[in-house]
């Protein structure tokens, strides 16, 4: 009678690795200026609107309510709502009235001109409202890069002339990184991730577009109520 062979212990469970595991959770890009402006506008609308509702006479409270119902969703849509969510598998664009989900395999390009936009494989363009283009910020970044290049050239010339009393850059110090506008830096990061992930299996799929009825509905209702009040008044 033979004794059974000792069974080897089962392999330890391994953590998933490779393309199926996202490297990070959703990275969110938003416009700080838009957020600040939206909060200020909502505060002004709320202050004036509530004052008209409380102290107004006749149809004034109704006009105030209709105007607030129209303006508040629009302010939220164009200032607080826009955002771009990015992870290893897809790009989710939340614009004022739509949410577009684009797997990296369906993204053809990310363009920056007078506006930042993403183009899918069919050629359809979607503007990135959360990343507005600031020509002023681009000009400031370009001037910063020009000054950094000039300083590097002066430091290199000083080192060549003599290392004794030169006032150039500290030897061994890394060169100053080029400065970019916030929107351009975000687009560069997304382009790099797109190049890395566009051929991965988990980054494939279909482009989906969903309309934001929760924003459009109240705005339309406010506009209709305002038109009715103006017609009967």
């Amino acid at each position: 009678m033979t004794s059974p062979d000792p069974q080897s212990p089962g392999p330890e469970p391994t953590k998933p690795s490779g393309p199926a595991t996202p490297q990070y959770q959703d990275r969110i890009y938003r416009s700080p200026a838009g957020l600040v402006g939206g909060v200020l506008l909502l505060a002004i609308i709320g202050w004036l609107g509530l004052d008209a509702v409380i102290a107004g006479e006749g149809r004034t409270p109704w006009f105030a309510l209709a105007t607030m119902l129209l303006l508040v969703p629009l302010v939220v849509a164009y200032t607080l709502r826009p955002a771009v969510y990015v992870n290893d598998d897809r790009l989710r664009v939340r614009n004022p009235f739509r949410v577009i989900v684009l797997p990296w395999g369906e993204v053809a390009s990310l363009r920056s001109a007078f506006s930042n936009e993403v183009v899918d494989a069919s050629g359809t363009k979607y503007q990135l409202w959360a990343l507005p283009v600031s020509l002023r910020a681009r000009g400031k970044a370009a001037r910063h890069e020009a000054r950094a290049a000039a300083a590097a050239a002066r430091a290199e010339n000083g080192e060549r002339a003599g290392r004794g009393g030169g006032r150039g850059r500290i030897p061994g110090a890394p060169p100053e990184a080029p400065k970019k506008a916030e929107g351009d830096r975000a687009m560069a990061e997304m382009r790099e991730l797109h190049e890395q992930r566009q051929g991965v299996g988990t980054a494939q799929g279909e482009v989906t577009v969903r309309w934001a009825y929760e924003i459009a509905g109240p705005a339309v209702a406010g506009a209709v109520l305002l038109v009715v009040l103006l017609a009967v008044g």
Side-chain angles (χ1 to χ4, degrees):
M1 188 175 72
T2 60
S3 60
D5 295 334
Q7 296 182 355
S8 60
E12 295 181 358
T14 57
K15 296 181 180 179
S17 60
T21 304
Q23 297 177 359
Y24 48 76
Q25 298 297 325
D26 281 4
R27 184 181 302 175
I28 305 175
Y29 297 99
R30 309 187 75 170
S31 171
L35 295 175
V36 173
V39 171
L40 292 177
L41 285 175
L42 289 176
I44 293 173
I45 293 173
W47 174 44
L48 296 177
L50 292 177
D51 181 70
V53 170
I54 295 173
E57 298 178 355
R59 288 195 177 93
T60 300
W62 290 104
F63 276 108
L65 287 174
T67 303
M68 291 174 64
L69 190 59
L70 171 63
L71 293 181
V72 169
L74 294 179
V75 171
V76 171
Y78 286 100
T79 61
L80 304 183
R81 177 179 169 81
V84 177
Y85 299 84
V86 178
N87 66 20
D88 281 355
D89 295 333
R90 52 104 180 102
L91 173 72
R92 183 161 66 97
V93 181
R94 193 172 71 182
N95 280 344
F97 297 102
R98 294 190 299 178
V99 176
I100 306 102
V101 179
L102 302 102
W104 287 121
E106 289 296 317
V107 174
S109 63
L110 290 151
R111 300 177 181 175
S112 297
F114 292 104
S115 65
N116 291 317
E117 57 189 20
V118 57
V119 183
D120 67 11
S122 66
T124 305
K125 301 177 183 178
Y126 304 99
Q127 186 174 351
L128 305 179
W129 283 81
L131 298 174
V133 171
S134 174
L135 298 180
R136 180 174 178 271
R138 281 184 177 177
K140 184 177 179 181
R143 290 191 297 271
H144 182 277
E145 290 186 11
R147 288 194 298 268
R154 288 194 300 268
E156 184 176 355
N157 292 335
E159 290 178 0
R160 288 178 179 177
R163 300 182 180 180
R167 296 180 58 189
R169 180 169 54 90
I170 299 174
E176 188 175 1
K179 184 176 181 181
K180 291 185 178 180
E182 187 68 27
D184 293 339
R185 184 163 60 250
M187 293 295 289
E189 292 175 356
M190 287 189 288
R191 289 192 189 99
E192 182 179 358
L193 186 58
H194 171 236
E195 293 177 0
Q196 296 173 355
R197 302 292 298 178
Q198 60 180 336
V200 178
T202 57
Q204 310 303 314
E206 297 182 356
V207 178
T208 60
V209 179
R210 181 183 68 84
W211 289 92
Y213 296 106
E214 66 276 11
I215 296 292
V220 171
V224 171
L225 180 57
L226 195 58
V227 169
V228 171
L229 290 173
L230 292 173
V232 299

